[in-house]
Amino acid sequence: MSSTAEVFAAMKEAVVSDSGKSLQRKFKGTVTFAVGEKVYSLDLSSPSNRNVSEGDAFDGKADLGITCSEEVMGKMIRKEVQPQQAFMKGMLKIKGKMNLAMKLTAVLAATRKKLPSSKL
C-alpha cells in the first residue's frame, strides 16, 4: 500500500512528464486535495504550468476541492472504488466544478502508471 506522499509524488511525475500535456488538455483546471491531515495542490490550468505541490497553492480558490481520508485515496488509486462511487457513498466530498470531478479518473489513471506496481 502506498502512502499519500508517494501517491502525490507519482501524480507530480505524471503531470510534468510528456504525457502530462495531454492530461492538461483534457483536464484544464486546478484542484486542492485535502487527504487526511495533508493538503496537496494540482495545477493543470495551462500547458506551461503543470505541477503538484504540498499545501494549498491556490489560497482556497481552486476550481475543484476534494476532501477524503487517506484510506479512500488509497482505494481510488488501487481501483477498489471509483471517484464517482466514493462521492455517491459519502466517502469523498467535492466543492467546485463538477465537470472537473468527472475527469478525476484520468488523473488517477496517469498517477497509477507512475507508481511502482509493488506500491499498488
Side-chain angles (χ1 to χ4, degrees):
M1 186 173 147
S2 52
S3 73
T4 302
E6 289 170 330
V7 167
F8 284 96
M11 188 180 290
K12 181 173 186 163
E13 196 177 323
V15 300
V16 298
S17 69
D18 289 339
S19 62
K21 291 178 184 176
S22 66
L23 192 60
Q24 185 278 326
R25 282 193 296 273
K26 290 178 195 169
F27 200 78
K28 292 183 184 170
T30 57
V31 183
T32 302
F33 292 90
V35 182
E37 301 295 315
K38 298 248 183 197
V39 176
Y40 295 90
S41 299
L42 167 66
D43 188 351
L44 288 171
S45 57
S46 70
S48 61
N49 194 19
R50 303 183 325 260
N51 194 26
V52 175
S53 58
E54 193 167 338
D56 186 356
F58 314 112
D59 296 323
K61 296 191 182 355
D63 297 327
L64 177 66
I66 294 176
T67 305
C68 66
S69 68
E70 289 185 41
E71 178 187 1
V72 171
M73 181 57 98
K75 285 182 177 184
M76 288 190 298
I77 288 296
R78 291 187 306 274
K79 289 180 139 182
E80 292 174 10
V81 66
Q82 291 295 317
Q84 292 87 348
Q85 288 175 315
F87 175 73
M88 295 296 180
K89 292 179 179 180
M91 302 160 70
L92 179 77
K93 301 224 185 302
I94 293 173
K95 182 178 180 185
K97 296 182 178 179
M98 187 59 82
N99 63 335
L100 284 181
M102 299 302 285
K103 298 175 185 177
L104 187 61
T105 306
V107 175
L108 294 177
T111 301
R112 228 175 266 121
K113 289 178 185 174
K114 297 295 180 180
L115 273 174
S117 58
S118 61
K119 296 287 183 183
L120 292 176

